[in-house]
């Protein structure tokens, strides 16, 4: 019996020792995992911090680079916009030669629309000679609304005529466009110029495929002194915006984005915060298909040229047709 008891005790101790060794091994492995997990976490925080500092320094570098030319002063605009009923974020985008002018002109009027749930990006060009009712000022060309009352009156004009809500505005000085293009594309932007252009654009552009710097690219998208006038200009603007947008998020230019944002921001007067911009830009940068759908107001067959006393030659538009077309385009 004693011998049997000893054998059983020996086996029991042996099992217990084996279990203890296994438990110690498990504890050691867990400790190693915890240590390595902490190391990886610290490395992640360190790399993220360095990257954040780098991105911010690049942004500030771009801002300071532009502020040497434009300074800090910007007009303060009231804007009572709200989100579109379809859940889209609609932005009133205005191109203006604002620098040094008391009453800058809205040379370009666009509506940019982003719908997160649908993943869609849309761009509507509203021709500046469209003859519409401007609240408190009677009928006139739509770009007169900006001169009368800034982005807010233009927002009201679009709402009253087309029943489209605009949540944000962005007034972009043309000089900022030039600075952005030169910084992003030091070798120029490839464009197939269809004809010789020089009248009222301060530069001369020859026909053919070429690399245009910022100043010449601006002249290209502003040119309207030909048979198709503003219609050709709107078409070129939409084409260049789509092409440049895709090139800006290419592998070669993505690292430049923080500085590019900094370069252009002193030339942009907007009620959008940094978070709003990142919210919209994030989807565009990460998407494989960055298709920007475009539209023009007025649509084909919905207007006629008309000369009006005090306004000159205008586009007399069919308001109901264009209202329905615009709402349908933004909603789909």
């Amino acid at each position: 019996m004693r011998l049997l008891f000893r054998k059983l005790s020996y086996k029991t101790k042996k099992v217990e020792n084996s279990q203890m060794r296994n438990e110690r091994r498990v504890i050691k492995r867990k400790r190693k995992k915890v240590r390595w997990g902490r190391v990886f976490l610290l490395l992640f925080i360190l790399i993220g911090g360095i990257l954040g500092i780098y991105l911010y320094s690049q942004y500030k570098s771009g801002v300071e680079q532009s502020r040497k030319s434009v300074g800090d002063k910007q007009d303060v605009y009231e804007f009572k916009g709200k989100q579109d009923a379809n859940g889209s974020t609609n932005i009133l985008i205005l191109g203006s030669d604002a620098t040094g002018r008391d009453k800058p002109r809205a040379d370009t009027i666009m509506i940019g629309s982003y719908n997160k749930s649908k993943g869609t990006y849309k761009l509507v060009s509203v021709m500046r000679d469209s003859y519409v009712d401007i609240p408190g000022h009677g009928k006139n060309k739509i770009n007169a609304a900006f001169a009368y009352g800034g982005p807010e009156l233009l927002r009201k004009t679009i709402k009253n005529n087309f029943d489209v809500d605009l949540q944000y505005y962005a007034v972009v000085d043309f000089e900022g466009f030039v600075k952005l293009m030169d910084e992003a594309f030091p070798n120029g932007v490839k464009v197939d110029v269809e004809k010789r252009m020089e009248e009222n654009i301060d530069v001369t552009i020859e026909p053919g495929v070429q690399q245009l710097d910022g100043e010449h690219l601006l002249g290209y998208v502003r040119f309207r002194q030909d048979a198709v006038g503003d219609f050709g200009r709107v078409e070129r603007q939409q084409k260049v915006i789509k092409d440049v947008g895709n090139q800006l998020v290419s592998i070669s230019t993505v690292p430049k984005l923080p500085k590019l944002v900094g370069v252009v921001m002193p030339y942009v007067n907007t009620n959008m915060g940094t978070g709003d911009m990142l919210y919209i830009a994030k989807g565009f940068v990460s998407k494989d298909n960055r298709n920007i759908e475009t539209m023009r107001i007025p649509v084909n067959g919905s207007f006629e040229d008309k000369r009006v006393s005090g306004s000159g030659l205008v586009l007399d538009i069919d308001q109901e047709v264009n209202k329905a077309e615009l709402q349908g385009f933004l909603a789909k």
Side-chain angles (χ1 to χ4, degrees), residues 62 75 84 91 131 177 209 326:
D75 293 324
D84 183 80
I91 308 162
Y131 196 55
F177 175 85
V209 177
L326 178 57

Side-chain angles (χ1 to χ4, degrees), residues 149-176:
E152 172 61 8
L153 184 55
L154 191 46
R155 179 197 69 78
K156 287 181 180 178
T157 301
I158 291 173
K159 175 64 176 177
N160 286 7
N161 286 272
F162 306 108
D163 198 21
V164 169
D165 284 306
L166 301 164
Q167 188 172 1
Y168 301 108
Y169 76 88
V171 183
V172 184
D173 192 312
F174 289 135
E175 189 177 347

Side-chain angles (χ1 to χ4, degrees), residues 96-128:
S96 171
D97 51 353
T99 303
R101 291 178 178 267
D102 293 330
K103 290 186 177 181
R105 295 177 291 118
D107 206 50
T108 297
I109 302 172
M110 293 182 172
I111 299 172
S113 182
Y114 167 60
N115 190 295
K116 183 181 179 181
S117 61
K118 298 177 183 177
T120 56
Y121 291 83
K122 298 180 180 180
L123 187 67
V124 180
S125 294
V126 182
M127 298 187 68
R128 65 181 189 175

Side-chain angles (χ1 to χ4, degrees), residues 34-52:
V34 170
R35 284 199 295 269
W36 279 111
R38 289 175 179 172
V39 169
F40 285 131
L41 178 61
L42 288 172
L43 284 173
F44 179 78
I45 293 173
L46 180 61
I47 293 171
I50 293 172
L51 180 60

